[in-house]
Amino acid sequence: MNTQITATPKLFIGIDIHKRSWKIHCSTDLFSGKSFSMAPDPELLRKYVDKHFAGHEVNVVYEAGCCGYHAHRCFEGYGWRSMVVNPADV
């Protein structure tokens, strides 16, 4: 019997973005997640995701604030689904 993957695994990333650091929480459709802090660099997050979650469909959300949309544009450029939301709605 041959086993075939029928669904793409999903990764969900919530980010608390600040000027000097990001607080990241990663969860998949199979485990509840891991939280950590990192330097505020979208490329570092991409490298982390590529290393630990290769082959996952990535969904990112963070609240709008003083840091603008640079990270959002980078995430979209990586092919990730990204949303910037109103802080009052989180």
Side-chain angles (χ1 to χ4, degrees):
M1 177 176 189
N2 291 336
T3 304
Q4 295 181 354
I5 297 174
T6 58
T8 304
K10 294 173 180 47
L11 172 65
F12 304 97
I13 302 174
I15 308 174
D16 187 9
I17 290 186
H18 295 281
K19 189 175 183 176
R20 296 181 189 212
S21 70
W22 290 354
K23 293 191 181 189
I24 310 289
H25 184 80
C26 297
S27 294
T28 69
D29 44 355
L30 299 176
F31 79 97
S32 64
K34 175 183 177 181
S35 296
F36 59 94
S37 293
M38 64 176 288
D41 183 358
E43 186 63 24
L44 290 176
L45 183 57
R46 186 188 65 79
K47 288 178 182 178
Y48 177 84
V49 169
D50 288 348
K51 180 178 179 181
H52 297 285
F53 299 100
H56 282 68
E57 177 185 305
V58 182
N59 298 277
V60 180
V61 66
Y62 69 91
E63 60 187 24
C66 64
C67 296
Y69 293 92
H70 172 73
H72 170 73
R73 288 188 292 272
C74 289
F75 300 149
E76 291 281 321
Y78 304 152
W80 299 356
R81 202 173 285 172
S82 178
M83 293 185 349
V84 181
V85 298
N86 177 7
D89 293 337
V90 175

